[in-house]
């Protein structure tokens, strides 16, 4: 049975996938429904399909990544595409080549799909205007990380059976988080009550206008929530004194057994990874199999990315 | 041979003139007479330019322009700047010292003065920097630079951060009667920021610059200024709240002047859309309410001067992500037409606009321009006030085509530009 009623689904027809902002509810439903068949496939012994046979997928990662990169690589390979990972640390970019020049060079190799992660917001948008192939945004600056939000929605839907009406708290470094932004767009669209919880120094300006409830302490914010989505402290993206210390942050904003009591009794914990254990989340709690669905998120990641690759490839035809 | 512009509407705000008449220019390129008394019949054998249904105004003075010389000639040189300027009725520009090397000493100043004399058609009035190498630490030779012709001092795109340095600048600047021009933006509050801090910044995932990064510097400067009463000009403001601060101090009888860029009167942060790098400006474009407040500031005279903030940037430096791309827009040639948009939209009356781009800048910088009275150099722009046209990059004269208003429909176009009595531009 389909995850969502198929009559609610409309196929996403654009060439690129740059952000959740560009998607409609029926399109999200369609992507998630498509993903479901890949979840089943990925659990089988033979995981290989030939849908993308003869296609070339380049993963262009300007920021280091383990799970997103391997997830996209695996997704492409399981669909039969030739996948190349561009290692930026020893590439021309380090020699001063601009993003657009790199894009033009890669474009000349006739890839069918480019998966890009970049530290600057809008990098995927810029790239998509310059190349002939499809572009998937695998994270741009603080702006969007659409496949992460899709896989989070998939995880929630698979686990709880619905998204609409759930109370979901996104906690932590909202300001520097593309995961938070993409999730806010997607989950509010799908009818969840989304809350953001962070110290006010890590809360982006006018975030309340995104249709979320804003909290600056965990006790109030976590009250009666179904899902707690913890964010990684983006210590490397901070250029000033946003918090006094990780010790103080842990005391007030990390998720531990004491704070989670404010949430619903069976509330689930999510985290986009990689986790800073002992900074934003208690180490034992993160591994609590009754609570944490972090491993499922990773599993859904491959399926959702396979669906995205498949849909964009179909759109090229 | 004398020449005469006749049958035209003339606006010269300095002399409260708005009438149909003519301008008689003598053999040396100075204005001999101006007004309704100048007609075809009484100009003798002067060369006649019949400008019926047109408007003649003093050549526009653009009070904030980045010329590429020296060091950035690939972005703009005096020759290309001149062509761009005269095509938009601009006959005098005040240039910034953010060059390479920085214009912070007498020999560099002298060099660019000579370059301008040899290569530029229009009148270049160069500013020198307030501090050596625009580093905000040691003040430059205000006295010697002024003797050499510097019309004022500024660190241009940079703002003096240190209180003691600013204190010395006001103190010594008073001593030398130097015009001190500040770009008001706190470095720490604006650190790494590329856009107005607002919902738009949050949506685009970009680091914002709060408007109070501007307010704290204005408040500090005016506080210090009140100790010395030096000559002080705030180069650009972007936020409505800045006007409140300015008015508070004006009410205490503190004397200073304020400028705004035409971009901030015409555009707001929404125009950035999906990372339009040509609209990355400094200070950043702010909210629509700020834009409306700034228009109000021009109307009620709180703002004295409108500038183009012409900042030519080569294509390469704009073809980057919003975060990394260069800041600023090329705008000297669209300056007057874009300013006239405010008149056509019935936001600001025509005379106020003209005053803010002719009479007032001439007064602020103390330069001999900006009016049409007898004895002034005949720098004149003749325009068709209502003529519609569309801004196209390929038609731009500036060496760098980074206009913030590509494809904008404007009304009002310069048809003739006179410089020292000579017709230097005509369409």
């Amino acid at each position: 049975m389909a995850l969502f009623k198929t009559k609610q689904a409309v196929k996403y027809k654009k060439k690129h996938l740059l952000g959740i902002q560009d998607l409609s509810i029926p399109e999200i439903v369609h992507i998630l429904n498509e993903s479901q068949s890949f979840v089943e496939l990925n659990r089988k012994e033979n995981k290989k399909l030939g849908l993308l046979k003869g296609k070339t997928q380049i993963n262009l990662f300007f920021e280091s990544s383990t799970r997103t990169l391997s997830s996209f690589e695996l997704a492409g390979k399981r669909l039969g595409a030739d996948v190349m990972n561009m290692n930026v640390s020893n590439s021309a970019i380090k020699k001063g080549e601009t993003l657009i020049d790199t894009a033009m060079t890669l474009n000349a190799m006739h890839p069918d799909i480019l998966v890009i992660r970049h530290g600057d917001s809008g990098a995927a948008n810029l790239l998509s205007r310059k190349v002939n192939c499809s572009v998937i945004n695998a994270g741009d600056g603080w702006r969007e990380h659409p496949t992460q939000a899709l896989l989070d929605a998939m995880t929630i839907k698979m686990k709880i059976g619905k998204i609409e009406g759930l109370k979901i708290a996104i906690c932590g470094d909202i300001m520097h988080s593309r995961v938070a932004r993409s999730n806010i767009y997607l989950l509010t669209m799908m009818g969840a009550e989304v809350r953001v919880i962070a110290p006010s120094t890590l809360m982006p300006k006018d975030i309340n206008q995104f249709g979320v409830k804003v909290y600056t302490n965990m006790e109030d914010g976590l009250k009666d929530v179904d899902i707690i989505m913890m964010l990684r402290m983006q210590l490397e993206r901070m250029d000033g004194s946003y918090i006094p210390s990780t010790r103080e942050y842990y005391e007030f904003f990390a998720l531990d057994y004491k704070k989670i009591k404010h949430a619903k009794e069976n509330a689930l914990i999510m985290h986009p990874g990689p986790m800073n254990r002992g900074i934003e989340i208690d180490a034992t709690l993160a591994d609590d199999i009754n609570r944490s669905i972090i491993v499922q998120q990773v599993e859904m990641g491959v399926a959702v990315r396979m669906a995205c690759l498949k849909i964009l490839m179909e759109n090229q035809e | 041979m004398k020449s005469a512009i006749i049958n035209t509407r003339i606006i010269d705000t300095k002399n409260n003139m708005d009438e149909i008449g003519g301008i008689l220019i003598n053999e040396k390129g100075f204005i001999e007479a101006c007004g309704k008394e100048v007609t075809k019949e009484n100009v003798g054998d002067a060369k006649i330019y019949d400008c019926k249904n047109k408007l003649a105004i003093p050549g526009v003075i653009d009070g904030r322009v980045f010329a590429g010389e020296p060091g950035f000639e690939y972005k703009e040189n005096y020759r290309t700047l001149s062509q761009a300027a005269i095509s938009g009725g601009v006959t005098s520009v005040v240039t910034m010292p953010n060059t390479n090397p920085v214009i912070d000493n007498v020999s560099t100043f002298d060099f660019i003065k000579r370059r301008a004399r040899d290569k530029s058609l229009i009148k270049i009035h160069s500013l020198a920097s307030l501090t050596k190498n625009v580093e905000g630490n040691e003040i430059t030779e205000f006295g010697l630079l002024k003797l050499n012709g510097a019309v004022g001092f500024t660190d241009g795109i940079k703002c003096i951060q240190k209180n003691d340095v600013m204190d010395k600048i006001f103190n010594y600047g008073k001593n030398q009667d130097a015009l001190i021009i500040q770009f008001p933006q706190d470095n720490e509050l604006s650190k790494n920021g590329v856009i107005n801090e607002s919902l738009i910044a949050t949506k685009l995932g970009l680091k914002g610059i709060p408007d109070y990064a501007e307010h704290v510097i204005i408040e500090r400067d005016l506080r210090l200024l009140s100790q010395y009463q030096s000559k002080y000009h705030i180069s650009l403001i972007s936020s409505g709240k800045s006007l409140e601060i300015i008015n508070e101090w004006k009410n205490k009888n503190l004397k200073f002047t304020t400028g705004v860029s035409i971009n901030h009167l015409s555009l707001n942060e929404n125009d950035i859309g999906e990372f339009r790098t040509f609209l990355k400006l400094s200070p950043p474009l702010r909210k629509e309410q700020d834009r409306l407040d700034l228009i109000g500031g021009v109307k009620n005279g709180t703002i004295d001067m409108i500038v183009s903030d012409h900042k030519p940037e080569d294509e390469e430096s704009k073809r980057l992500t919003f975060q990394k791309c260069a800041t600023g827009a090329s705008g000297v040639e669209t300056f007057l037409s874009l300013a006239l948009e405010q008149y056509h939209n019935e936001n600001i009356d025509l005379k106020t606009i003209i005053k803010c781009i002719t009479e007032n800048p001439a007064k602020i910088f103390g330069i001999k321009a900006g009016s049409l009275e007898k004895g002034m150099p005949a720098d004149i722009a003749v325009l068709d006030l209502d003529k519609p046209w569309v801004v196209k990059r390929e038609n731009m004269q500036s060496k760098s085509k980074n206009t913030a208003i590509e494809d904008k429909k404007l009304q009002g176009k310069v048809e003739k530009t006179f410089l020292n009595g000579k017709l230097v531009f005509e369409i």
Side-chain angles (χ1 to χ4, degrees):
Chain A
M1 212 178 90
L3 204 56
F4 292 88
K5 290 190 187 106
T6 43
K7 65 176 179 189
Q8 297 173 344
V10 172
K11 193 172 175 222
Y12 181 67
K13 290 230 172 58
K14 292 200 185 99
K15 190 176 168 188
H16 312 291
L17 177 61
L18 302 175
I20 300 294
Q21 290 172 78
D22 309 328
L23 296 174
S24 66
I25 297 171
E27 287 167 345
I28 292 167
V29 165
H30 177 256
I31 295 172
L32 297 183
N33 274 349
E34 284 280 320
S35 307
Q36 193 189 12
S37 59
F38 294 116
V39 175
E40 286 151 22
L41 177 79
N42 287 337
R43 288 172 182 169
K44 286 185 188 156
E45 203 169 326
N46 181 1
K47 305 174 178 68
K48 189 108 174 172
L49 287 179
L51 289 173
L52 262 60
K53 193 153 180 267
K55 305 284 186 189
T56 307
Q57 172 190 339
I58 298 180
N59 296 331
L60 181 59
F61 276 55
F62 292 84
E63 278 187 335
S64 62
S65 161
T66 315
R67 69 194 65 211
T68 308
L69 178 61
S70 51
S71 185
F72 268 110
E73 184 179 356
L74 215 47
K77 283 181 171 163
R78 285 187 181 164
L79 291 173
D82 294 316
V83 184
M84 183 178 94
N85 292 332
M86 277 283 293
N87 190 346
V88 171
S89 58
N90 52 23
S91 77
I93 293 111
K94 281 269 157 93
K95 296 173 200 156
E97 191 176 77
T98 67
L99 174 63
I100 289 181
D101 288 335
T102 307
M104 297 321 288
T105 308
L106 293 177
N107 196 44
M109 299 176 191
H110 301 293
D112 300 282
I113 197 149
L114 265 176
V115 179
I116 177 181
R117 164 168 291 189
H118 197 286
D120 291 353
S121 300
N125 305 57
L126 179 64
L127 195 74
S128 73
R129 287 195 290 268
K130 304 290 173 186
V131 296
N132 303 323
C133 64
S134 293
V135 173
I136 294 184
N137 179 11
D140 64 324
W142 309 348
R143 196 183 78 102
E144 281 244 34
H145 189 355
T147 57
Q148 178 71 43
L150 287 164
L151 76 87
D152 286 340
M154 185 76 190
T155 311
I156 296 168
K157 179 73 181 174
M158 294 283 274
K159 198 79 192 174
I160 305 183
K162 64 168 186 176
I163 297 173
E164 199 176 342
L166 294 181
K167 289 190 173 69
I168 303 173
I170 305 175
C171 321
D173 182 0
I174 311 286
M175 177 178 279
H176 301 101
S177 176
R178 53 194 174 217
V179 175
R181 286 174 177 77
S182 287
N183 263 312
I184 289 168
Y185 296 131
L186 197 154
L187 296 171
T188 51
M189 253 198 279
M190 300 301 281
E193 178 193 312
V194 180
R195 305 171 177 190
V196 289
I197 313 174
S200 49
T201 46
L202 288 173
M203 202 66 93
K205 183 93 172 167
D206 294 334
I207 188 77
N208 58 318
Q209 291 187 39
F210 281 49
V212 297
K213 293 187 177 171
V214 179
Y215 294 89
T216 49
N217 77 70
M218 291 286 269
E219 287 70 25
D220 296 342
L222 289 181
K223 195 166 188 315
D224 296 329
V225 301
D226 300 280
I227 290 170
I228 307 161
M229 211 177 257
M230 296 306 296
L231 297 173
R232 191 169 67 86
M233 277 298 272
Q234 312 260 351
L235 296 166
E236 73 281 5
R237 286 199 195 140
M238 293 189 190
D239 56 4
S241 183
Y242 289 90
I243 53 162
S245 70
T246 49
R247 187 170 66 177
E248 173 147 333
Y249 185 81
Y250 186 86
E251 175 66 26
F252 291 93
F253 292 97
L255 190 66
D256 54 20
Y257 281 103
K258 199 174 111 206
K259 294 194 198 83
I260 202 171
K261 287 200 182 102
H262 297 278
K264 274 198 185 138
E265 209 183 319
N266 53 354
L268 299 173
I269 303 166
M270 299 173 81
H271 194 299
M275 275 184 280
N276 295 309
R277 288 169 188 265
I279 294 180
E280 71 252 357
I281 191 161
D282 176 90
T284 342
L285 189 55
D287 298 328
D288 188 334
I289 50 162
N290 299 317
R291 294 283 201 173
S292 167
I293 50 171
I294 295 169
V295 180
Q296 284 89 329
Q297 287 176 275
V298 179
E299 187 194 358
M300 293 307 130
V302 180
V304 162
R305 283 163 185 135
M306 287 169 83
C308 293
L309 289 170
K310 172 179 175 253
I311 290 166
L312 291 190
M313 277 307 118
E314 286 169 356
N315 290 352
Q316 283 185 2
E317 280 155 17
Chain B
M1 191 179 163
K2 290 184 181 182
S3 48
I5 301 164
I6 58 159
N7 269 333
T8 183
R9 179 180 175 193
I10 302 166
I11 295 183
D12 176 9
T13 57
K14 187 166 179 231
N15 297 297
N16 282 320
M17 181 185 285
D18 181 1
E19 58 197 42
I20 306 289
I23 306 164
L24 181 61
I25 303 162
N26 71 16
E27 293 88 344
K28 289 182 175 156
F30 291 90
I31 292 171
E32 196 166 294
C34 174
K36 54 180 178 284
E37 67 277 12
V38 180
T39 61
K40 196 175 178 180
E41 286 69 38
N42 62 13
V43 295
D45 59 353
K47 183 172 168 45
I48 301 283
Y49 297 97
D50 192 333
C51 295
K52 199 172 177 206
N53 297 329
K54 309 297 179 200
L55 169 66
I57 61 170
V60 172
I61 303 167
D62 190 343
R64 187 173 166 92
V65 163
F66 293 84
E69 302 206 27
F72 301 106
E73 290 83 358
Y74 61 96
K75 293 180 180 179
E76 190 89 283
N77 59 39
Y78 287 139
R79 190 180 54 77
T80 55
L81 175 65
S82 294
Q83 291 306 323
I86 56 171
S87 74
V90 174
T91 52
S92 299
V93 297
V94 176
T95 57
M96 297 292 123
N98 306 86
T99 48
N100 185 16
V102 169
I103 303 168
D104 63 358
N105 63 76
V106 172
S107 50
T108 311
F109 190 89
D110 195 56
F111 168 74
I112 57 136
K113 199 166 76 177
R114 286 161 197 274
R115 278 287 296 176
R117 186 193 63 200
D118 296 346
K119 300 289 174 189
S120 174
L121 195 57
I122 57 164
K123 295 170 185 173
I124 307 277
H125 299 279
S126 184
L127 300 175
S129 67
L130 282 166
T131 62
K132 287 177 189 154
N133 207 25
V134 292
E135 281 167 357
N137 294 319
E138 296 168 66
I139 61 174
T140 55
E141 297 160 325
F142 294 173
L144 291 174
L145 285 159
K146 208 177 155 210
L147 279 180
N148 246 271
V151 293
F153 298 85
T154 184
D155 276 2
I157 54 173
K158 289 191 170 182
C159 171
I160 305 293
Q161 300 293 309
K162 292 181 179 167
N163 295 342
D164 65 329
V165 175
M166 202 60 211
D167 186 65
K168 298 289 185 300
I169 286 170
F170 278 128
N171 194 347
Y172 189 71
K174 172 78 177 172
N175 206 115
Q176 294 289 2
D177 195 30
L179 173 64
I180 296 153
I181 303 166
Q182 176 84 292
F183 168 72
Q185 182 169 284
D186 184 86
N187 280 358
E188 284 164 8
L189 292 172
S190 61
K191 189 175 157 196
N192 297 335
V194 291
I195 188 172
N196 182 36
E197 184 181 83
S198 72
L199 180 65
I200 307 265
T202 300
K203 265 195 181 148
L204 293 176
L206 295 170
K207 176 109 192 246
I209 301 174
D211 57 0
Y212 50 81
E214 179 171 301
H215 308 151
V216 293
I217 295 294
I218 295 177
E219 283 187 332
R220 179 203 64 179
D221 279 9
L222 296 180
R223 171 65 60 193
L224 291 173
L225 179 66
S226 71
Q227 305 297 312
Y228 300 106
Q229 279 94 32
S230 333
K231 268 194 209 161
Y232 177 64
H233 175 72
I234 304 169
S235 70
L236 297 172
I237 60 167
S238 64
S239 123
K241 184 90 188 292
S242 295
L243 291 166
E244 286 176 31
I245 302 163
I246 286 166
N247 278 323
E248 272 171 39
W249 282 95
K250 284 200 165 167
N251 290 339
K252 292 182 200 163
N253 270 330
L254 195 64
K255 301 271 185 288
F256 57 96
T257 53
T258 306
V260 70
S261 106
I262 189 60
N263 298 319
H264 288 82
L265 298 180
S266 315
L267 303 164
N268 66 31
E269 55 173 3
N270 297 308
D271 292 303
I272 291 166
E274 200 190 74
F275 301 102
R276 289 180 62 198
T277 56
F278 284 19
L279 281 90
K280 180 178 171 185
L281 304 177
S282 179
L285 292 169
R286 299 205 187 269
K287 290 179 185 295
E288 175 63 3
Q289 189 55 49
D290 290 301
R291 187 184 77 88
L292 296 173
D293 289 346
L294 293 172
I295 287 172
V298 173
K299 270 164 88 168
N300 67 24
T302 309
I303 294 173
D304 305 270
M305 176 160 78
I306 307 173
V307 298
S308 76
D309 195 20
H310 175 71
K311 193 160 179 290
E313 291 293 347
D314 57 304
E315 202 113 319
E316 274 314 305
S317 57
K318 280 287 184 184
R319 273 172 25 130
L320 298 169
T321 57
F322 201 88
Q323 209 162 314
K324 295 207 175 78
C325 75
T327 304
S330 172
V332 69
E333 59 203 279
T334 51
F335 178 37
L336 175 57
S337 296
L338 190 54
L340 291 174
E341 186 187 48
Q342 298 302 328
Y343 155 72
H344 289 294
N345 290 348
E346 297 177 3
N347 283 335
I348 309 173
D349 71 273
L350 186 57
K351 280 178 208 160
T352 305
I353 294 170
I354 292 171
K355 187 176 170 142
C356 289
I357 59 176
T358 58
E359 179 192 346
N360 286 357
K363 197 168 145 197
I364 290 167
F365 296 109
I367 55 184
K368 206 177 175 201
S371 88
L372 298 173
E373 67 204 22
K374 191 179 176 192
M376 292 295 284
D379 299 342
I380 303 159
V382 179
L383 50 140
D384 181 331
L385 194 53
D386 298 314
K387 187 176 183 175
W389 65 290
V390 180
V391 180
K392 289 281 176 202
R393 269 162 81 186
E394 60 266 27
N395 298 336
M396 287 180 72
Q397 303 291 318
S398 174
K399 202 164 186 179
S400 298
K401 323 279 186 203
N402 56 315
T403 172
I405 52 165
E406 168 83 350
D407 292 329
K408 195 173 178 77
K409 296 183 182 77
L410 294 175
Q411 213 180 336
K413 187 136 180 57
V414 170
E415 295 194 335
K416 287 185 178 65
T417 304
F418 293 85
L419 195 74
N420 291 326
K422 264 195 282 189
L423 181 67
V424 290
F425 172 79
E426 188 178 25
I427 47 169

